[in-house]
Amino acid sequence: MPRTLAAITLATSGLLAAACAPAVAGSSTEPPPVAGGKIGTLAIGKYACELPGDAGGKIGEPVPEYDFSIVNASSYKAQGIRGSYLYTGNTVTMTGGKFKGLRFERVSAGFLRELGEQRPEGPMRCIMVARRY
């Protein structure tokens, strides 16, 4: 009986190792893809927001009530209230805090353009004005 038990144990452990091998061999440091694209974070710093101007007038109309700072990997602070954001693909969505539900397109490093809001002046833009290293 002990020989049979040893043979079953050996066979079972071999099957387990064989079953796990593809998972271990195929693993990588990249997380699986998520809806919306790859997850990222914004650079830590202060963003100043403005509405676009026109060719015959102002360059832009500041809207300081929308200014915010990225304070760590996925948190921002606006008017003293801390919130969270999700950055996937090229879309930044404020998921908590003062600006919950506000969405931006990341045009380039330090340049965000509001999505969804239909304003006569055009979409609000937020530009990084101070970066913390």
Side-chain angles (χ1 to χ4, degrees):
M1 199 64 136
R3 274 188 155 181
T4 308
L5 184 58
I8 291 172
T9 304
L10 185 58
T12 305
S13 64
L15 289 174
L16 182 60
C20 291
V24 173
S27 68
S28 71
T29 57
E30 287 288 317
V34 296
K38 190 174 179 178
I39 294 176
T41 57
L42 299 173
I44 295 173
K46 180 175 173 47
Y47 284 78
C49 299
E50 64 183 17
L51 294 172
D54 59 41
K58 294 182 182 179
I59 295 172
E61 182 67 38
V63 281
E65 61 271 20
Y66 282 97
D67 291 356
F68 62 93
S69 295
I70 300 298
V71 293
N72 70 23
S74 60
S75 295
Y76 73 94
K77 192 178 255 189
Q79 300 173 11
I81 300 170
R82 197 174 182 115
S84 56
Y85 72 89
L86 177 64
Y87 171 32
T88 56
N90 66 344
T91 303
V92 177
T93 304
M94 302 305 199
T95 56
K98 180 88 174 154
F99 300 138
K100 183 177 181 177
L102 190 62
R103 295 176 62 235
F104 295 96
E105 170 193 15
R106 182 178 179 262
V107 177
S108 64
F111 181 13
L112 305 174
R113 182 179 297 129
E114 184 180 23
L115 292 172
E117 186 67 33
Q118 300 299 318
R119 301 174 191 268
E121 310 87 352
M124 178 175 65
R125 57 191 178 218
C126 298
I127 310 297
M128 180 179 274
V129 294
R131 187 174 185 150
R132 195 180 96 203
Y133 295 96

